[in-house]
Amino acid sequence: MTRDEPLVLGIETSCDETGVGIVRGHTLLADAVASSVEEHARFGGVVPEVASRAHLEAMVPTIQRACDTAGVTLAGVDAIAVTHGPGLAGALLVGVASAKALALSLGKPIYGVNHLAAHVAVDQLEHGPLPEPCLALLVSGGHSSLLKVTDITGYDDGVAPMGATIDDAAGEAFDKVARLLGLPFPGGPHIDRVAREGDQIAIDFPRGLSSRRDLERHRFDFSFSGLKTAVARWVEARERSGEPVPVADVAASFQEAVCDVLVRKALDAAGAEGIEDLMIGGGVAANSRLRALAEERAGKLGIRVRVPRPGLCTDNGAMVAALGATMVERGRAPSRLDLPADSSLPVTEVLAG
Ligand code: KG4
Ligand code: ZN
């Protein structure tokens, strides 16, 4: 780390985490996160209005905490980065308005960045500069995509989608299946934990979009809604029969079906493009089975796998700061101070004009 590298503060508010991260270049100095997840748990999903209010209350204390941890003052920051989409509109607005207030009062540039690209860029904080090209498997509560990344700042079509989910996102499937197994929200970490006690081949759940016919049209796309329905049917049949539901086996078999398809398609895409580096990002990348299966299968093909540590996979401000710092380093023009929040921002638009 040298003093010449940009000191960037990143703000993330696209869902229920108020994240404020501070980086100098590729070095992580602070990653403060305040989550409103407990306020949503009893509703079984994130309530947008509740999330927005929680961001408003948490924002200033979280900024202060990040500055204290990093040992910097706001005056020393070179640039402000903020998630301006995709995500919950009201939640994004709180982050974008806060970032504008900081940029305006400090007289520093603002970079409105894409949340999905930030999930990829964060790995630089742990494993150094991102190999470009790399194949990114992005799996979160709202998205499941395969991306060919030649420039993470998005320059010259640098983030190009190869495939995406045609229905539920991978994280959404984890959350829905957890709910029907009586596990708390968000379900991903609970399925991950419970599955360790279960048998992943106990139940042969379907692998979405994997038949020969499906592969012709949807080689790099995903589908998880059929799997979710298959799990629901299996559990219902068990309950009707009066036998106990083997929660650990269902969780393990479901998790295996998701991870099997994700890894298989990601490696197929990397092979098709002749890419030797697979990067996995987003909340579901925290899944222990996904990480192990990717390592195991990629190793056999000579493909390197990079996955950030679990705490950097789920939503946080450090990922936004990491992408912002890359924008500064590569001389990208900052965003305008009237940049909007865009709840349905496409993954290809990495930096707001
Ligand atoms: O990236 P993220 O924090 O928020 C979005 O941008 O959506 O992802 C949240 C999703 C949730 O669906 C959550 O259940 C899932 O990531 N998740 C996991 C694990 N940890 C979080 N899914 C599977 N295994 C995990 N260990
Ligand atoms: Zn996310």
Side-chain angles (χ1 to χ4, degrees):
M1 179 171 77
T2 70
R3 286 271 151 197
D4 299 340
E5 289 176 303
L7 185 67
V8 178
L9 181 143
I11 296 180
E12 156 61 35
T13 62
S14 68
C15 194
D16 58 342
E17 258 92 38
T18 311
V20 180
I22 300 178
V23 303
R24 188 178 285 283
H26 291 170
T27 307
L28 176 62
L29 302 182
D31 180 20
V33 176
S35 177
S36 62
V37 68
E38 277 164 21
E39 295 177 54
H40 309 285
R42 69 193 166 103
F43 300 105
V46 176
V47 183
E49 181 71 17
V50 173
S52 306
R53 286 167 189 260
H55 287 310
L56 193 60
E57 289 167 18
M59 184 56 69
V60 171
T62 310
I63 292 174
Q64 281 169 340
R65 194 149 55 87
C67 287
D68 290 349
T69 306
V72 302
T73 61
L74 284 173
V77 166
D78 297 312
I80 306 293
V82 62
T83 296
H84 87 115
L88 302 170
L92 289 167
L93 281 175
V94 179
V96 171
S98 305
K100 287 181 181 183
L102 282 178
L104 191 64
S105 58
L106 298 169
K108 297 293 159 73
I110 187 170
Y111 292 82
V113 301
N114 190 306
H115 178 84
L116 305 172
H119 268 305
V120 178
V122 71
D123 191 58
Q124 302 183 101
L125 300 178
E126 200 156 51
H127 299 117
L130 200 68
E132 290 166 332
C134 70
L135 199 290
L137 168 63
L138 185 82
V139 271
S140 70
H143 294 81
S144 311
S145 309
L146 283 172
L147 310 167
K148 181 177 173 179
V149 179
T150 48
D151 183 333
I152 192 56
T153 66
Y155 186 73
D156 204 12
D157 296 328
V159 178
M162 292 180 68
T165 180
I166 61 166
D167 42 53
D168 293 351
E172 201 178 342
F174 270 96
D175 295 338
K176 287 177 176 169
V177 166
R179 193 175 183 173
L180 67 92
L181 291 176
L183 299 169
F185 174 84
H190 296 282
I191 296 223
D192 195 347
R193 176 177 47 81
V194 170
R196 289 190 195 136
E197 311 298 317
D199 178 1
Q200 71 219 26
I201 55 167
I203 310 155
D204 188 17
F205 286 129
R207 273 46 176 172
L209 295 184
S210 296
S211 71
R212 193 176 301 168
R213 229 179 85 215
D214 284 336
L215 287 174
E216 277 168 23
R217 280 188 54 213
H218 291 289
R219 182 169 168 194
F220 302 129
D221 291 327
F222 303 107
S223 165
F224 297 108
S225 118
L227 169 61
K228 173 198 67 196
T229 308
V231 177
R233 294 266 147 77
W234 196 93
V235 170
E236 277 161 26
R238 244 325 154 94
E239 282 168 344
R240 263 200 311 275
S241 75
E243 285 182 71
V245 175
V247 173
D249 285 350
V250 176
S253 301
F254 157 76
Q255 179 174 272
E256 193 66 14
V258 175
C259 297
D260 177 24
V261 175
L262 289 175
V263 171
R264 199 145 27 85
K265 293 205 175 204
L267 293 175
D268 185 24
E273 293 293 322
I275 293 176
E276 292 176 347
D277 289 277
L278 170 64
M279 194 274 149
I280 312 182
V284 180
N287 186 269
S288 59
R289 181 61 186 149
L290 179 61
R291 302 165 79 96
L293 199 61
E295 288 282 355
E296 182 190 315
R297 291 191 189 164
K300 289 183 188 147
L301 299 170
I303 291 178
R304 292 175 291 268
V305 182
R306 292 172 44 134
V307 199
R309 64 174 181 266
L312 290 178
C313 290
T314 46
D315 290 349
N316 63 79
M319 65 193 221
V320 180
L323 184 51
T326 311
M327 296 293 176
V328 176
E329 284 160 4
R330 296 193 187 172
R332 305 292 178 243
S335 308
R336 291 163 44 129
L337 254 182
D338 62 356
L339 83 146
D342 185 344
S343 59
S344 55
L345 187 70
V347 66
T348 47
E349 289 177 28
V350 183
L351 175 62

